[in-house]
């Protein structure tokens, strides 16, 4: 498959991080993928750091990955895609029975503790939730790559359409200043990276295509660096590219990956490399790391965890 909240306000996330240029105290980039952890026979999908710990979703459950590559199964399940940090837990997109035509309403947003547990259902009634990203005000955005909608989940678990009109939205990430949400189109004849302006009240403006990718490359997850560059996983091309959103130009390219799915920058001071990008693999058995020579922009967290 390619694929009780506290609502304080609806402001988009903001970052106090320096958004100046390189080197960001990082060594020179080496864009050769290095395996971090293996043994995932059915592949991995979601990837997120929470409280400095790295997690990935696989068809059989939620795994924690240690800096030395050790893996620990934290929660067993049958369906999970995107992950996002949420206090002492993780937000999890559960698509239910996946349908390519975007039908159905059995998709859910869950929250699960970092050390495991059954998980709590926060919202339901979505067709095929895929990627998850928090806003700075307590809402959670959920994309559905089988349609054209990005949903918002509010403090009471109510699901509404936040934006309609981006074809097959998948990975999402905020610009360092919190004023733009980026997303990519996966199942589209013209796969693209989109920039969605968001005002101070959290209301989205008109999406604009930043750049398009080769047909069939299947853009999947994305991550934004501290300089504002957007790193996009081109799943079926086996590559990750960095796009400068100001020009639409590709400035860096990582090759030799097996079906890259989700991306996350290493957490500071945890044994993981904060100047590296970590990459899950939809059809491969390895989670990789790539020394990209840049640090990640601040990732907003969802509502407080369990």
């Amino acid at each position: 498959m390619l694929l009780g909240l506290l609502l304080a306000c609806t402001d988009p996330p903001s970052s106090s991080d320096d958004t100046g240029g390189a080197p960001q105290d990082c060594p020179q980039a080496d864009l050769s993928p290095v395996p971090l952890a293996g043994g995932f026979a059915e592949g991995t999908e979601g990837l997120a750091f929470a409280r400095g710990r790295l997690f990935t979703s696989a068809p059989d459950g939620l795994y924690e990955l240690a800096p030395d590559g050790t893996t620990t199964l934290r929660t067993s399940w049958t369906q999970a895609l995107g992950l996002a940090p949420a206090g002492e837990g993780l937000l999890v997109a559960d698509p239910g029975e996946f349908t390519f035509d975007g039908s159905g309403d059995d998709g859910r947003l869950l929250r699960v503790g970092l050390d495991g547990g059954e998980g709590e259902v926060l919202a339901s009634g979505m067709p095929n939730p895929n990627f998850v990203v928090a806003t700075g005000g307590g809402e959670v955005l959920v994309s559905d790559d089988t349609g054209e909608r990005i949903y918002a989940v509010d403090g009471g678990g109510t699901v509404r359409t936040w934006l309609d009109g981006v074809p097959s939205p998948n990975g999402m990430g905020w610009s360092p200043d919190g004023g733009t949400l980026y997303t990519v189109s996966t199942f589209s004849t013209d796969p693209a990276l989109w920039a969605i302006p968001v005002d101070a009240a959290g209301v989205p403006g008109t999406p604009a295509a930043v750049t398009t990718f080769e047909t069939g490359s299947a853009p999947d997850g994305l991550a934004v660096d501290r300089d504002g560059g957007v790193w996009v996983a081109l799943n079926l091309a086996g590559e990750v590219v960095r796009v400068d959103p100001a020009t639409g130009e590709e400035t860096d390219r990582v090759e030799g990956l097996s079906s890259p799915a989700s991306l996350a920058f290493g957490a500071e001071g945890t044994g993981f490399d904060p100047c590296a990008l970590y990459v899950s693999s939809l059809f491969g058995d390895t989670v990789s790391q790539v020394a990209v020579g840049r640090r990640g922009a601040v990732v907003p967290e969802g509502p407080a965890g369990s």
Side-chain angles (χ1 to χ4, degrees), residues 96-267:
E97 184 177 353
F98 184 79
T99 56
F100 272 105
D101 63 1
S103 62
D105 61 358
D106 60 346
R108 307 181 298 172
L109 177 66
L110 310 176
R111 180 171 56 211
V112 62
L114 300 185
D115 294 321
E118 183 176 343
E120 172 189 4
V121 178
L122 300 180
S124 58
M126 292 170 280
N128 295 288
N130 191 317
F131 208 89
V132 184
V133 71
T135 70
E139 281 194 312
V140 177
L141 302 181
V142 183
S143 64
D144 178 353
D145 60 352
T146 63
E148 296 190 349
R149 294 182 179 180
I150 296 174
Y151 298 97
V153 178
D154 71 7
T158 300
V159 178
R160 66 181 177 89
T161 297
W162 183 78
L163 182 72
D164 191 354
V166 173
S168 187
N170 198 333
M172 297 182 289
W174 291 100
S175 62
D177 66 3
T180 302
L181 181 75
Y182 297 107
T183 189
V184 290
S185 297
T186 299
F187 302 120
S188 172
T189 55
D190 294 307
L193 169 65
W194 296 85
I196 305 165
V198 182
D199 68 17
V203 178
T206 302
V210 174
T211 190
T212 57
F213 304 104
E214 182 180 354
T215 300
S217 58
D220 199 339
L222 66 79
V224 182
D225 65 41
R226 195 176 298 183
D227 295 327
V230 184
W231 297 79
V232 178
L234 301 179
N235 192 287
L236 297 183
E239 299 174 344
V240 171
V241 297
R242 180 183 186 268
V243 177
D244 180 347
T247 64
E249 295 180 354
E250 296 177 7
T251 64
D252 299 87
R253 182 177 295 271
V254 181
E255 300 177 319
L257 291 160
S258 174
S259 55
S262 293
L263 309 176
F265 278 93

